[in-house]
Amino acid sequence: MQHTTLIPHLFRTEYRKIVSVLCRHFGLQQMEIAEDIASDTFLTAAETWPLKGIPPQPTAWLYQVAKNKTKNYLQRGLLFATKISRDIKSNSTERYEEEIDLSPQNVNDSQLQMMFAVCHPAISKEAQIGLSLRILCGFGIEEIADAFLTSKETINKRLFRAKEKLKEEKIHIELPPAAAMNERLEAVLSIIYLLFNEGYYSVSQNKTLRKDLCLEAMRLCTMLVENESTNKPAVNALLALMCFHASRFDARINEHGEHILYEEQNANLWNADLISKGGYFLNRAASGNELSKYHLEAGIAYWNTQKEDTKEKWENILYFYNRLLQIAYSPIAALNRTYALAKVNGKQAGIAAAEQLELTNNHFYFALLGELCTSVDGAKAKANYEKALGLAKTEADKAAIRAKLEKLHSDPD
Amino acid sequence: MRLDILTKEAQPSPEQMQVYMQRYHDWVGGIAAQDKFVGGTGLSKEGKVLKFNDVMTDGPYAETKESIAGFITIRAKDLEEAVKMAKECPILKGEGNTVEVRQIVTRHNNP
């Protein structure tokens, strides 16, 4: 690998590790120092490698440089302290010898603990996402701005405020005690879920970035599954859910970054390995007596990996949506549930149920009604699709609805 | 919801039960899809009934034919809408079963 591609790659995988370990060493009060040292390490690599060539073990090189920089920083602090305060007798002449521990075990522990610190309930969701992307996933400011379709300044401001909040709340980098674990874990899971959805449903056209977001969410969740104290059923359920969804990643977006509808996807492009991994984690999720929304969504996602339209598939999906809506209502789940109901009990039943939803400011609502009325009542289908078209905001959504209208026109039954 | 299942013969088979449960879930799911579901509590058929003067009997329906199958709390704008939703409850397809609609006046521990 060339240094031009290797450094960004290593930045993504190693920056977060160095920052987590250093933050744990310094405490969140001084997280800027941790970030500065980590950034400075990569700057040194970017300056040295093109001249001297890539070191044989680039990661070990980075760790050593980070350790030296930390040592120098602490040494300077110590000199400063002894010069201004001559009363310090004990270690006034000692050099700073404490090693920064970048062993795999400590890197892993630090990252896990950092996850809980960043997803602390005292911090706003928006700030948690920003910090997660930067500190836990090692995304560049530009990438974060791209993912949220906003400016670098906005992201910088958001991150600055989030870090101030972490300091204000005096949050420690540590795993929560067992008694508080489930509650704190819930906050971490909801951020992982949001990160994944951000990648999966993002408006950003950057396909690589979107996939990276999903993979990062899965990586964070995997870390939780691998740790004994955080390996809970809901964590496995969320990982299963993400595996099932991610299995369609290559089939659902074309080379122009456009969305391909489920029915039109090439099922050969679905990733069988991820589907079976999903099955493995779903099985592990089936213990204890907690039924989280991730369990239910993973159940739905599992059936969506079965392309064939069977009665069993739709009955199961309907059942899971019925349960899901009882614990976590959302308009999109209500619409999907109605679609499943129509698949099980027929279009008439679906139309009747849809009309009770009254989600009249949602273009998906009218698109669903259009779909259900097709081949039942052509005129009504057309009227609903037209309403959907009027409400749709993105070009991709409008194009999808226009295609449905054209199909209706050429095939009125 | 009151369920009339006193005699053994009247009890549904496991297959029938599955159909009933699915209908029930579809009904509750329909309410939840309208964002009008608040909570639900199913009740076991076994229990104890305590009475005046330290009298205790087995089963909630030891002396009455009816047993309460469960409660469901919904959000409705008025009693009329609640009744309309209750009419769809599949439990009413069984002879002798009833659904009682009441307004919540106060809530304990849940303001």
Side-chain angles (χ1 to χ4, degrees), chain A residues 65-257:
Chain A
V65 170
K67 280 180 194 177
N68 293 343
K69 284 188 190 292
T70 310
K71 206 182 270 182
N72 291 342
Y73 169 79
L74 292 169
Q75 193 67 46
R76 277 199 305 277
L78 200 65
L79 276 175
F80 184 68
T82 48
K83 270 187 182 164
I84 58 162
S85 163
R86 295 184 184 277
D87 297 337
I88 297 174
K89 290 192 178 100
S90 58
N91 54 1
S92 58
T93 51
E94 281 172 33
R95 284 179 59 82
Y96 189 86
E97 289 300 345
E98 196 185 335
E99 268 285 271
I100 296 298
D101 179 5
L102 278 158
S103 64
Q105 182 63 47
N106 195 46
V107 163
N108 196 54
D109 289 352
S110 303
Q111 283 190 286
L112 259 183
Q113 294 173 4
M114 198 64 173
M115 228 187 275
F116 282 93
V118 163
C119 302
H120 195 279
I123 319 277
S124 75
K125 280 266 183 251
E126 192 186 58
Q128 288 183 27
I129 293 179
L131 282 175
S132 298
L133 287 171
R134 181 69 181 156
I135 308 287
L136 303 177
C137 307
F139 275 55
I141 302 296
E142 204 161 332
E143 289 172 308
I144 303 176
D146 187 5
F148 290 101
L149 292 185
T150 179
S151 69
K152 286 182 1 183
E153 291 79 70
T154 307
I155 296 297
N156 271 325
K157 272 185 208 150
R158 205 180 280 177
L159 287 175
F160 178 78
R161 279 198 303 267
K163 285 180 215 166
E164 289 301 297
K165 188 77 182 165
L166 277 175
K167 288 180 200 168
E168 259 170 50
E169 300 287 334
K170 299 198 168 55
I171 288 163
H172 293 284
I173 305 180
E174 61 193 5
L175 284 187
M181 182 54 94
N182 279 344
E183 200 190 334
R184 293 288 306 279
L185 202 48
E186 213 175 288
V188 175
L189 293 186
S190 80
I191 286 300
I192 294 177
Y193 181 74
L194 281 173
L195 287 179
F196 186 87
N197 284 344
E198 195 54 47
Y200 209 69
Y201 302 107
S202 169
V203 276
S204 168
Q205 291 295 307
N206 187 336
K207 188 180 166 185
T208 320
L209 176 64
R210 294 179 52 180
K211 196 172 177 175
D212 276 358
L213 265 170
C214 291
L215 294 176
E216 277 302 317
M218 291 167 77
R219 185 185 64 83
L220 294 175
C221 202
T222 305
M223 286 181 68
L224 294 173
V225 162
E226 284 170 349
N227 184 285
E228 203 187 334
S229 59
T230 52
N231 181 21
K232 305 275 182 185
V235 182
N236 283 277
L238 176 58
L239 189 51
L241 161 68
M242 295 192 289
C243 288
F244 289 140
H245 277 317
S247 73
R248 287 195 299 283
F249 213 98
D250 293 326
R252 65 193 283 281
I253 297 171
N254 67 17
E255 62 271 31
H256 309 297

Side-chain angles (χ1 to χ4, degrees), chain A residues 315 318-319 322-323 325-326 329 334 337 344-345 356-357, chain B residues 22 25-30 32-37 84:
Chain A
E315 278 179 358
L318 174 60
Y319 171 77
N322 283 337
R323 298 286 304 261
L325 283 159
Q326 290 169 42
Y329 169 84
R337 181 253 174 201
V344 175
N345 293 341
Q356 289 185 322
L357 301 181
Chain B
Q22 201 200 324
H25 280 301
D26 285 351
W27 174 64
V28 178
Q34 297 170 57
D35 199 13
K36 288 173 181 165
F37 177 83
K84 204 176 141 216

